[in-house]
């Protein structure tokens, strides 16, 4: 009897499953948690993608526990973050704690679970876009015109306590252009841009990023019309700059030239000419040897021209080698010659 009851039950279940399969009813597909975000390190929200519903109404629930705990908790708020989300308020958010969570999908045919996701609130911060973006064209009289912009940080972030540090980035482009021009503004909430095309209508946006986390979405675009006379008439300024630059260059060249002359003088000093007391250098230039010798004190030295004449006459008269030797000897020793002359005269007589 019992065997008949078991067989009937199994048959009924198989018939039910077969009927469900014929109607396209299946267990739900596997969901996926794809994003968690905290706007200010005080709250955060996670979103998931549902799997297939199996042709049946499907319920989703998110469960979690903190690292080091075993007690499971269910999502405290399924409404604030929108469909398929779980929001954690301040009382459920802890810094420097890791959350381990997963999503459960259930229908009449069964259940399925997502993979576990580990979340640290410190590293999922993505602030809201900056607010109150203001853009103006400034045209001061003594300076080149520029585009000035100012904005405010997101309201959910308290920068006064130092708990948060935000950096900003700006992008702009002409209305009909395809590419954006990006500028990093750092932590300041004001910025100036000079290089713009006159007569163009520009779109301007700004976004922010914390020290740990992700860039926010771009703020709504703000439009600004650049005047056609945006370029400043600065001809006088450029002329003044050119004149001043020329004067500076001349001064530098003059200083370098003087310095170079003094350096050459120090490295290669001039060699002094010969200086003899009582000597006139012009005599050497005139080529008068008599005056030159006279200036040098050689007054008894025979003139060069007379000496040459005597030498020529002497050579013409001389015809004996002995007499030549005697004359040479007498010139070398004139005193001996005077002493020997009476002796020779006596022998001759």
């Amino acid at each position: 009897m019992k065997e008949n009851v078991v067989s009937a039950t199994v048959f009924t279940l198989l018939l039910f499953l077969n009927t469900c399969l014929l109607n396209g009813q299946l267990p739900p597909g596997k969901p996926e948690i794809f994003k968690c975000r905290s706007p200010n390190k005080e709250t955060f929200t996670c979103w998931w993608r549902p799997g297939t519903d199996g042709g049946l109404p499907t319920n989703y629930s998110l469960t979690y526990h903190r690292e080091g705990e075993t007690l499971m908790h269910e999502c405290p708020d399924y409404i604030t973050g929108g469909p398929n989300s779980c929001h954690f308020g301040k009382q459920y958010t802890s810094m420097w704690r890791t959350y381990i969570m997963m999503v459960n999908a259930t229908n009449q045919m069964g259940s399925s679970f997502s993979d576990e996701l580990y979340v640290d609130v410190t590293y999922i911060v993505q602030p809201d876009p900056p607010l109150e973006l203001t853009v103006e064209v400034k045209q001061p009289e003594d300076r080149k015109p520029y585009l000035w912009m100012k904005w405010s940080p997101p309201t959910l972030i308290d920068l006064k306590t130092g708990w948060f540090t935000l950096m900003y980035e700006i992008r702009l482009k002409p209305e009909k252009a395809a590419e954006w021009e990006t500028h990093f503004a750092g932590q300041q909430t004001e910025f100036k841009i000079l290089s713009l095309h006159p007569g163009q209508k520009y779109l301007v946006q700004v976004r922010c990023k914390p020290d740990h986390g992700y860039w926010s979405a771009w703020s709504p675009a703000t439009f600004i019309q650049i005047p056609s006379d945006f370029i400043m008439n600065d001809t006088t300024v450029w002329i003044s700059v050119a004149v001043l630059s020329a004067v500076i260059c001349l001064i530098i060249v003059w200083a370098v030239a003087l310095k170079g002359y003094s350096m050459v003088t120090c490295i290669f000093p001039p060699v002094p000419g010969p200086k003899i007391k009582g000597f006139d250098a012009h005599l050497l230039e005139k080529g008068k040897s008599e005056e030159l010798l006279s200036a040098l004190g050689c007054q008894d030295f025979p003139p060069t021209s007379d000496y040459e004449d005597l030498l020529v006459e002497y050579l013409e008269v001389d015809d004996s080698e002995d007499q030549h030797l005697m004359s040479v000897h007498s010139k070398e020793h004139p005193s001996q010659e005077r002493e020997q002359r009476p002796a020779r005269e006596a022998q001759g007589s």
Side-chain angles (χ1 to χ4, degrees):
M1 183 67 181
K2 291 182 179 180
E3 293 179 357
N4 293 333
V5 173
V6 172
S7 300
T9 303
V10 172
F11 178 77
T12 303
L13 289 174
L14 291 175
L15 181 62
F16 176 75
L17 290 174
N18 185 40
T19 303
C20 292
L21 291 174
L22 292 175
N23 293 333
Q25 297 175 347
L26 297 171
K30 181 180 178 179
E32 177 189 7
I33 304 175
F34 68 92
K35 181 181 181 180
C36 290
R37 170 182 172 262
S38 173
N40 53 8
K41 297 183 181 180
E42 297 179 359
T43 63
F44 72 99
T45 305
C46 293
W47 291 266
W48 66 83
R49 295 188 184 96
T52 58
D53 59 7
L56 295 172
T58 303
N59 294 323
Y60 296 92
S61 62
L62 184 145
T63 57
Y64 70 95
H65 69 278
R66 296 180 181 89
E67 193 173 28
E69 298 178 356
T70 57
L71 181 63
M72 298 293 295
H73 306 275
E74 188 174 356
C75 171
D77 183 357
Y78 289 106
I79 299 174
T80 302
N84 303 319
S85 69
C86 177
H87 178 73
F88 294 79
K90 291 183 179 182
Q91 65 272 31
Y92 299 101
T93 302
S94 300
M95 293 293 295
W96 315 113
R97 296 290 299 274
T98 301
Y99 290 74
I100 305 171
M101 58 183 67
M102 63 180 179
V103 174
N104 178 22
T106 305
N107 65 12
Q108 293 180 356
M109 298 300 297
S111 300
S112 63
F113 299 88
S114 68
D115 294 331
E116 289 185 340
L117 180 68
Y118 291 75
V119 176
D120 188 335
V121 179
T122 307
Y123 298 101
I124 61 170
V125 178
Q126 185 182 25
D128 295 329
L131 303 173
E132 303 173 356
L133 176 60
T134 303
V135 183
E136 297 180 12
V137 175
K138 301 285 188 179
Q139 293 183 302
E141 296 181 357
D142 57 341
R143 289 183 298 172
K144 190 174 182 179
Y146 58 88
L147 186 66
W148 174 82
M149 56 196 69
K150 183 179 181 180
W151 58 88
S152 301
T155 54
L156 295 178
I157 295 179
D158 185 9
L159 299 176
K160 297 179 180 179
T161 59
W163 182 246
F164 244 95
T165 300
L166 287 180
M167 296 174 289
Y168 299 94
E169 190 176 53
I170 302 159
R171 72 176 184 178
L172 71 161
K173 69 170 184 175
E175 186 177 17
K176 297 181 181 180
E179 297 182 358
W180 292 87
E181 178 183 339
T182 305
H183 299 270
F184 182 70
Q187 298 183 24
Q188 60 183 345
T189 57
E190 295 183 12
F191 200 74
K192 298 178 182 179
I193 298 178
L194 299 175
S195 56
L196 297 174
H197 299 288
Q200 295 281 345
K201 187 177 183 179
Y202 275 80
L203 285 74
V204 184
Q205 292 179 303
V206 63
R207 65 177 180 175
C208 59
K209 178 183 179 297
D211 46 358
H212 296 287
Y214 305 94
W215 283 105
S216 71
W218 290 101
S219 66
T222 300
F223 294 84
I224 183 71
Q225 180 68 42
I226 307 301
S228 299
D229 58 345
F230 188 73
I231 301 176
M232 182 178 64
N233 187 12
D234 52 358
T235 305
T236 304
V237 176
W238 284 112
I239 292 175
S240 302
V241 171
V243 172
L244 181 61
S245 301
V247 172
I248 293 174
C249 290
L250 290 175
I251 294 174
I252 293 175
V253 170
W254 178 70
V256 170
L258 290 180
K259 188 175 181 180
Y261 177 77
S262 61
M263 291 178 63
V264 170
T265 305
C266 293
I267 297 174
F268 303 104
V271 179
K275 294 182 180 180
I276 302 175
K277 186 175 181 180
F279 175 73
D280 187 359
H282 293 288
L283 296 177
L284 184 61
E285 296 177 357
K286 295 178 180 179
K288 295 182 179 181
S289 57
E290 296 83 354
E291 297 179 2
L292 178 62
L293 294 174
S294 175
L296 292 173
C298 303
Q299 298 176 356
D300 297 332
F301 196 87
T304 304
S305 57
D306 297 339
Y307 178 77
E308 290 178 353
D309 295 339
L310 293 175
L311 180 61
V312 172
E313 293 175 0
Y314 179 80
L315 291 176
E316 291 176 353
V317 174
D318 183 22
D319 59 351
S320 172
E321 184 177 358
D322 295 336
Q323 292 179 356
H324 175 68
L325 293 175
M326 290 176 62
S327 62
V328 172
H329 179 73
S330 64
K331 288 182 180 180
E332 293 179 355
H333 306 281
S335 59
Q336 294 180 3
E337 181 65 21
R338 288 193 297 268
E339 293 175 357
Q340 294 176 2
R341 184 178 299 173
R344 289 198 299 267
E345 292 178 351
Q347 291 178 2
S349 58

